[in-house]
Short mmCIF file of all heavy atoms in Angstrom, two decimals:
data_model
loop_
_atom_site.label_atom_id
_atom_site.label_comp_id
_atom_site.label_asym_id
_atom_site.label_seq_id
_atom_site.Cartn_x
_atom_site.Cartn_y
_atom_site.Cartn_z
N ASP A 31 112.23 87.75 105.92
CA ASP A 31 111.97 87.05 104.65
C ASP A 31 110.66 86.29 104.78
O ASP A 31 109.91 86.48 105.74
CB ASP A 31 113.15 86.12 104.33
CG ASP A 31 113.41 86.05 102.83
OD1 ASP A 31 112.52 85.58 102.11
OD2 ASP A 31 114.51 86.46 102.40
N ASP A 32 110.35 85.43 103.80
CA ASP A 32 109.11 84.65 103.89
C ASP A 32 109.17 83.65 105.04
O ASP A 32 108.15 83.32 105.64
CB ASP A 32 108.85 83.91 102.58
CG ASP A 32 108.47 84.88 101.47
OD1 ASP A 32 107.52 85.64 101.68
OD2 ASP A 32 109.13 84.88 100.43
N SER A 76 102.53 78.34 101.77
CA SER A 76 102.98 79.13 100.63
C SER A 76 104.32 79.81 100.90
O SER A 76 105.15 79.97 99.99
CB SER A 76 101.91 80.17 100.30
OG SER A 76 102.34 81.01 99.28
N ASP A 77 104.58 80.17 102.15
CA ASP A 77 105.87 80.77 102.50
C ASP A 77 107.01 79.74 102.37
O ASP A 77 108.14 80.10 102.03
CB ASP A 77 105.84 81.36 103.91
CG ASP A 77 105.08 82.68 103.95
OD1 ASP A 77 105.35 83.54 103.10
OD2 ASP A 77 104.21 82.83 104.81
N ALA A 80 107.81 79.58 98.74
CA ALA A 80 108.63 80.72 98.32
C ALA A 80 110.12 80.50 98.59
O ALA A 80 110.97 81.03 97.88
CB ALA A 80 108.16 81.99 99.03
N ARG A 148 114.67 86.41 99.50
CA ARG A 148 114.26 87.59 98.74
C ARG A 148 115.47 88.40 98.29
O ARG A 148 115.32 89.37 97.54
CB ARG A 148 113.38 88.48 99.62
CG ARG A 148 112.07 87.82 100.04
CD ARG A 148 111.30 88.68 101.02
NE ARG A 148 110.00 88.11 101.33
CZ ARG A 148 109.07 88.72 102.06
NH1 ARG A 148 109.32 89.92 102.59
NH2 ARG A 148 107.91 88.14 102.28
N LEU A 216 109.50 85.18 96.28
CA LEU A 216 108.54 85.31 97.38
C LEU A 216 107.18 84.85 96.87
O LEU A 216 106.99 84.67 95.68
CB LEU A 216 108.49 86.72 97.97
CG LEU A 216 108.20 87.96 97.14
CD1 LEU A 216 106.85 87.93 96.49
CD2 LEU A 216 108.28 89.19 98.01
N ASP A 217 106.27 84.63 97.81
CA ASP A 217 104.92 84.28 97.40
C ASP A 217 104.08 85.55 97.44
O ASP A 217 104.27 86.41 98.31
CB ASP A 217 104.32 83.19 98.29
CG ASP A 217 104.21 83.62 99.73
OD1 ASP A 217 105.21 84.18 100.27
OD2 ASP A 217 103.16 83.41 100.35
N SER A 219 101.26 87.62 98.34
CA SER A 219 100.11 87.67 99.24
C SER A 219 99.42 89.03 99.18
O SER A 219 98.23 89.12 99.43
CB SER A 219 100.52 87.33 100.68
OG SER A 219 101.63 88.09 101.08
MG1 MG B 2 105.50 85.10 102.13
#
Side-chain angles (χ1 to χ4, degrees):
D31 215 297
D32 290 305
S76 175
D77 284 311
R148 296 174 175 186
L216 56 61
D217 61 314
S219 50

